[in-house]
Amino acid sequence: MTLPASPRKSDVVLGNGATVNVPFSFKVTDPSEVQLIQTSADGTTNTTLVQNSDYTITINPDQVNTPGGLAVLAVAGAAGT
């Protein structure tokens, strides 16, 4: 039996100009399953960030007991993004 994939969203993380670490807690099997989208401070523009350029992903080794991992931004998001 095959189960269909379903998109999951983490909590919104507001940029502050300094934070580059963005933890997530949903189960993944490969870093390519994670996508970051940055929204402008006024909420009008969404930019899909590029993995291994704009951010890197590290997933927790035991996705059963500790699902998720860490996204590390190359540049901190501006305040309010």
Side-chain angles (χ1 to χ4, degrees):
M1 176 175 165
T2 303
L3 297 176
S6 61
R8 295 167 294 241
K9 289 185 177 182
S10 67
D11 293 332
V12 172
V13 177
L14 287 177
N16 61 10
T19 300
V20 295
N21 293 332
V22 181
F24 59 94
S25 59
F26 52 85
K27 185 177 180 179
V28 297
T29 58
D30 189 86
S32 66
E33 297 173 351
V34 178
Q35 180 180 54
L36 297 184
I37 299 172
Q38 187 174 50
T39 303
S40 61
D42 64 7
T44 61
T45 306
N46 288 330
T47 303
T48 301
L49 302 180
V50 177
Q51 195 170 134
N52 297 321
S53 177
D54 298 323
Y55 66 95
T56 57
I57 296 292
T58 303
I59 59 173
N60 297 335
D62 182 356
Q63 289 293 303
V64 172
N65 293 307
T66 54
L70 183 68
V72 179
L73 300 168
V75 177
T81 59

